[in-house]
Amino acid sequence: MTVLLVLLGSCSSQSTPDAKPTPSSLEAAAIDAGIISDPANTDPTGLYARDRDKVCVVPSATAFHVGVYVDYGDDYFCSGSGGATRAGETLHVELTSAPGCSFDAKFDGDRIAVPGALPDACQKACSKRASLAGLNVERLSDSPSEAAALRDGRGKMLCANAR
């Protein structure tokens, strides 16, 4: 029994070489390596798109001005503008063109993703059965002037008045 205790004691006293701490996630490792941008240190200003869907984000006096245009074709579309504030990877969007429409979109540095469920008030920005829910767009440009030039399908400028 004493031999067993001596062996156990000697095992616990061995030191391990200094190990470099491992990143908490694959994403953290990619950020550390510079492969992807750190959303906490990335300005969301710019023009985002996927297919015919577009989002503009430009600086405003209080935070950001946003414009959103979703085009399903055949007179099914959504168009709105308003403001946004940022907290880490969250863009809190309030569409003043559709009173009561506010939601938290995810911003990862290169992409904006709107949640799949939105308040009913967001339907005011849309025609027929079109919806902003689930919109996912990628950055095309970080230029404020390109973002400010975004127009919806009727020619209305969505971010130009924010500057």
Side-chain angles (χ1 to χ4, degrees):
M1 179 83 156
T2 56
V3 173
L4 182 59
L5 290 175
V6 170
L7 287 174
L8 286 175
S10 66
C11 288
S12 64
S13 67
Q14 292 179 348
S15 64
T16 57
D18 291 340
K20 198 174 192 183
T22 57
S24 59
S25 70
L26 185 57
E27 182 179 10
I31 289 169
D32 289 344
I35 296 170
I36 61 173
S37 57
D38 183 355
N41 297 322
T42 304
D43 184 350
T45 298
L47 179 62
Y48 299 78
R50 173 167 281 158
D51 296 326
R52 296 184 295 191
D53 305 335
K54 296 181 177 41
V55 173
C56 57
V57 180
V58 295
S60 71
T62 56
F64 298 98
H65 186 81
V66 298
V68 180
Y69 179 61
V70 176
D71 182 6
Y72 289 96
D74 296 329
D75 293 326
Y76 289 86
F77 64 90
C78 299
S79 177
S81 60
T85 56
R86 180 171 174 206
E89 293 186 18
T90 301
L91 281 177
H92 179 72
V93 177
E94 293 191 29
L95 295 182
T96 54
S97 62
C101 178
S102 66
F103 54 88
D104 289 337
K106 183 176 183 204
F107 172 67
D108 74 359
D110 292 317
R111 183 174 295 113
I112 296 174
V114 174
L118 295 175
D120 291 340
C122 294
Q123 199 56 39
K124 296 174 195 170
C126 301
S127 70
K128 301 180 182 178
R129 295 182 320 197
S131 174
L132 295 171
L135 175 65
N136 190 334
V137 289
E138 296 179 12
R139 186 188 300 262
L140 292 180
S141 168
D142 59 2
S143 167
S145 59
E146 284 187 60
L150 179 63
R151 295 176 184 265
D152 69 10
R154 295 180 175 169
K156 178 183 175 189
M157 296 187 83
L158 297 174
C159 281
N161 298 332
R163 302 179 75 177

